[in-house]
């Protein structure tokens, strides 16, 4: 199975992991809806919805660039409508957009708390709700619909909360959507899963965090290939919290060196939330 002719609605796809997933789907000939906020170039965070659309087309797919703040219900509903008008429906939703602040309670202003929970938890819920009618149609048509949340396995251990309670709450909110929606949508034939990296991933956003050595990270393409494996799998595989290297190993990929920022690296920065 491939993603040829499938339509993916990907949040936060102007750069990084979201863009990599879009380009991997485009290589199959997929349609990719880029739902993200960045419309103008930024020296600190390169990539816009328009440059992403160019890369998607260059990779072999069709692209629709939409400026969307996923905290805005009206904007999300309008984006879904535009996606349906352009491509006839939505087969796959990738909830990738996320906000991060690795700060303790004393140093997390409520504005930042609201941003993280608004984008991560609420945004994921809203986009899933907005795309659900189209995903149900895709299921009825036998098009193997999926929702994939870029969120971690749920691990209720103090060490994942204490250093940055607000961020963990917001990120786990995405994972709670996976848990609940997998059960809720199973009767429709819609898969809902989470995907998370074993190691830190080299993205422009990560480079803005002090002290991170990008040379000890993997590239976003490891998540793109793992996502492809999940999204081309059966919709009956639902409610899973996948880790990228485990997904690839399950598909016979054991040599991951091509995903290393620095080839030959053996010790990587571990990502959060992986026990």
């Amino acid at each position: 199975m491939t993603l040829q002719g499938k339509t993916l609605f990907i949040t936060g796809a102007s750069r990084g992991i979201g863009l990599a997933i879009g380009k991997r789907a485009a290589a199959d000939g997929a349609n990719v809806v880029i739902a993200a906020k960045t419309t103008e170039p930024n020296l600190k965070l390169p990539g816009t919805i328009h440059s992403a659309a160019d890369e998607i087309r260059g990779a072999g797919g069709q692209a629709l660039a939409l400026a969307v703040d996923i905290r805005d219900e009206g904007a999300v509903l309008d984006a879904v409508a535009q996606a349906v008008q352009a491509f006839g429906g939505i087969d796959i939703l990738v909830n990738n957009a996320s906000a991060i602040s690795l700060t303790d309670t004393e140093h997390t202003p409520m504005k930042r708390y609201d941003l993280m929970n608004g984008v991560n938890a609420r945004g994921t819920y809203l986009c899933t709700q907005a795309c659900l009618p189209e995903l149900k149609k895709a299921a009825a048509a036998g098009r193997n619909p999926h929702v994939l949340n870029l969120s971690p396995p749920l691990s209720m251990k103090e060490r994942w909360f204490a250093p940055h309670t607000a961020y963990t709450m917001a990120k786990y909110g995405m994972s709670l959507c996976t848990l609940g929606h997998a059960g809720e949508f199973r009767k429709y034939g819609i898969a809902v899963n989470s995907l998370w990296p074993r190691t830190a991933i080299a993205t422009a956003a990560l480079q803005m965090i002090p002290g991170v050595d990008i040379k000890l990270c993997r590239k976003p393409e490891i998540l793109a290939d793992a996502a492809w494996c999940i999204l081309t799998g059966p919709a009956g595989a639902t409610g899973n919290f996948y880790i990228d290297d485990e997904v690839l190993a399950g598909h016979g990929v054991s040599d991951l060196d091509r995903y290393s920022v620095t080839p030959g690296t053996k010790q990587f920065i571990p990502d959060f939330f992986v026990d």
Side-chain angles (χ1 to χ4, degrees), residues 177-249:
C177 285
T178 297
L179 186 64
H181 288 153
E184 184 180 352
F185 302 162
R186 186 177 286 111
K187 61 180 178 287
Y188 303 130
I190 301 169
V192 185
N193 295 290
S194 279
L195 174 62
W196 194 246
R198 172 93 50 197
T199 72
I201 302 297
T203 63
L206 187 72
Q207 294 179 48
M208 297 179 69
I209 300 175
V212 175
D213 187 347
I214 294 298
K215 297 190 297 295
L216 302 180
C217 298
R218 285 182 172 143
K219 302 173 185 176
E221 284 71 23
I222 189 171
L223 283 166
D225 287 347
W228 183 90
C229 292
I230 296 166
L231 298 174
T232 56
T238 190
N240 299 291
F241 291 90
Y242 293 112
I243 301 298
D244 55 0
D245 59 355
E246 293 176 355
V247 172
L248 294 173

Side-chain angles (χ1 to χ4, degrees), residues 109-189:
M110 290 312 298
K111 183 178 181 180
R112 177 61 59 172
Y113 176 97
D114 290 340
L115 173 66
M116 288 191 288
N117 281 275
V119 172
N120 300 359
R122 186 180 186 276
T124 293
Y125 187 94
L126 169 57
C127 290
T128 303
Q129 183 184 70
C131 289
L132 181 58
E134 295 304 318
L135 296 171
K136 290 168 70 174
K137 292 176 186 176
R143 294 181 61 82
N144 197 40
H146 284 257
V147 176
L148 184 64
N149 299 327
L150 272 294
S151 65
L154 291 164
S155 176
M156 296 296 148
K157 294 183 178 177
E158 182 182 282
R159 67 191 182 104
W160 297 130
F161 287 83
H164 35 69
T165 299
Y167 173 64
T168 302
M169 290 170 65
K171 204 65 190 176
Y172 277 13
M174 298 176 70
S175 299
L176 290 172
C177 285
T178 297
L179 186 64
H181 288 153
E184 184 180 352
F185 302 162
R186 186 177 286 111
K187 61 180 178 287
Y188 303 130

